[in-house]
Amino acid sequence: MTTPAIEIRGLTKQYGSAKVALDHLDLSIAQGEIFGYLGPNGAGKTTTIRCLLDIIRPTSGSAAILGMDAQKDSVALHKRIGYLPGELNLWGGQTGREVVSYLGRVRGGVDWPYVGQLSERLSLDLKKKVRSYSTGNRRKLGLVLALMDHPELLILDEPTSGLDPLIQQIFHDLMREVRAEGRTVFLSSHILSEVQAICERVAILRDGKLQTVERVVDLMTFKFSDLTLTFRAPVAPSLLAHVLGVSDVTATGNALHFRLSGDFDPVLRALDGQYVVALHTSEPSLEDIFLTYYGGEAQTHAATTPQKELVR
């Protein structure tokens, strides 16, 4: 069998006597996949990345990257990994090209023709000083730095934050190209539509604990649907309030809106004698599925958070 790109076993990070940032995390990521890593602020995503890169040491457990120990072999591994942190601090007085050149020497070389292609596709002027870059252009430079030497593994923390939709689409294309070459992407993102578009599998983390690891296509067939039934006359929501699998029942005019987990037959039985004019059903989005794993906490967060940006 092919060695996993990332293999995590029992990874735990505790700060002091109370705060557990990661709680016995087990995770395996195959080579050649784009893997999404989701969870809100404080879930442990960045802690996981820092442990993988040996920026911090875990309290217990182990991590292997490309078959090598993430701690003992960290220096050698850093030459095989492209990393984009969530907060990128660069040298403001240098040009983008000078930053690429410097970090290229540290990492063992730069594929300048490829850097030229990347900067052109991302609409990034490498001749300008970093201090003159907008937030989006700094992010573009970070992507160039992560990709510039064709690393075997990319570890990207919210890579498209601050990028406009067109550049986000170009990023998606770049990631698909990386995957087509057999390389691996570990992607922590707060943009759920992005994860849904390019990731094969996704992990959902909550309070340092892994909630699920699923293929995105399987998550999208999650066993619930949002339904709207339209009747000839108004129907009281109480008819469905206690039906098995039904939740969130509301009424608008002659219609009832609700979420259904499970079979539809109990709904039909509860509505016996009611004349149904129309039925509309919608499958859950990745955002809906994410919210089911976070319950009321995520619903409260969603009320004050722009759509499709519920995870940080």
Side-chain angles (χ1 to χ4, degrees):
M1 292 182 64
T2 304
T3 302
I6 298 175
E7 185 81 21
I8 298 171
R9 289 288 172 259
L11 199 68
T12 300
K13 180 61 179 179
Q14 183 168 356
Y15 294 99
S17 59
K19 174 64 175 176
V20 178
L22 279 180
D23 191 353
H24 295 90
L25 178 66
D26 291 323
L27 193 60
S28 183
I29 299 167
Q31 293 191 39
E33 74 170 320
I34 304 176
F35 189 92
Y37 200 45
L38 302 177
N41 245 352
K45 304 191 309 301
T46 299
T47 298
T48 303
I49 289 173
R50 288 174 177 171
C51 286
L52 288 174
L53 294 170
D54 199 35
I55 297 170
I56 60 174
R57 292 289 174 95
T59 305
S60 61
S62 64
I65 298 176
L66 303 172
M68 302 170 69
D69 188 284
Q71 295 177 25
K72 295 178 182 177
D73 303 315
S74 61
V75 174
L77 280 170
H78 285 179
K79 295 181 179 180
R80 303 171 67 184
I81 297 171
Y83 172 49
L84 176 60
E87 296 183 4
L88 185 62
N89 296 313
L90 298 168
W91 300 275
Q94 295 189 336
T95 65
R97 184 178 180 85
E98 288 169 340
V99 172
V100 171
S101 180
Y102 172 72
L103 291 179
R105 290 196 299 272
V106 171
R107 294 179 57 175
V110 179
D111 182 347
W112 282 110
Y114 184 52
V115 167
Q117 293 173 24
L118 288 173
S119 58
E120 182 176 351
R121 291 174 69 179
L122 294 170
S123 300
L124 176 66
D125 186 351
L126 291 176
K127 297 188 294 294
K128 290 186 176 181
K129 300 261 186 196
V130 171
R131 69 164 61 97
S132 70
Y133 282 167
S134 65
T135 299
N137 280 332
R138 287 172 182 258
R139 212 71 190 145
K140 293 175 188 178
L141 179 56
L143 286 171
V144 171
L145 295 172
L147 288 161
M148 65 182 180
D149 56 348
H150 307 277
E152 296 168 64
L153 171 64
L154 285 165
I155 297 179
L156 309 176
D157 195 354
E158 300 191 7
T160 60
S161 178
L163 298 182
D164 64 54
L166 177 60
I167 300 299
Q168 288 180 22
Q169 187 57 56
I170 292 170
F171 167 77
H172 294 170
D173 293 340
L174 288 169
M175 294 303 100
R176 294 185 184 105
E177 292 166 14
V178 167
R179 177 181 58 195
E181 294 169 359
R183 297 186 282 143
T184 309
V185 181
F186 182 76
L187 172 67
S188 172
S189 176
H190 68 279
I191 302 176
L192 292 174
S193 58
E194 174 174 84
V195 173
Q196 186 172 332
I198 65 172
C199 293
E200 289 96 347
R201 292 193 303 148
V202 61
I204 297 178
L205 198 68
R206 178 175 186 173
D207 296 330
K209 294 182 180 180
L210 192 63
Q211 302 298 301
T212 189
V213 179
E214 298 283 354
R215 294 195 310 156
V216 171
V217 67
D218 292 335
L219 277 177
M220 300 313 296
T221 59
F222 203 69
K223 299 299 182 181
F224 69 80
S225 299
D226 292 318
L227 290 95
T228 297
L229 293 178
T230 303
F231 302 89
R232 180 175 287 173
V235 172
S238 58
L239 281 179
L240 298 181
H242 302 292
V243 175
L244 182 67
V246 171
S247 61
D248 304 327
V249 185
T250 60
T252 305
N254 290 1
L256 289 183
H257 316 278
F258 58 96
R259 174 159 290 177
L260 177 64
S261 301
D263 296 333
F264 192 69
D265 188 66
V267 175
L268 290 176
R269 294 179 184 275
L271 294 172
D272 185 37
Q274 303 297 327
Y275 194 103
V276 178
V277 175
L279 181 153
H280 178 267
T281 180
S282 61
E283 297 302 316
S285 67
L286 184 58
E287 178 182 323
D288 296 326
I289 295 165
F290 177 82
L291 290 175
T292 66
Y293 279 96
Y294 280 82
E297 175 185 320
Q299 297 286 0
T300 300
H301 184 55
T304 57
T305 305
Q307 291 297 301
K308 302 299 180 187
E309 298 193 359
L310 298 177
V311 192
R312 289 191 180 275

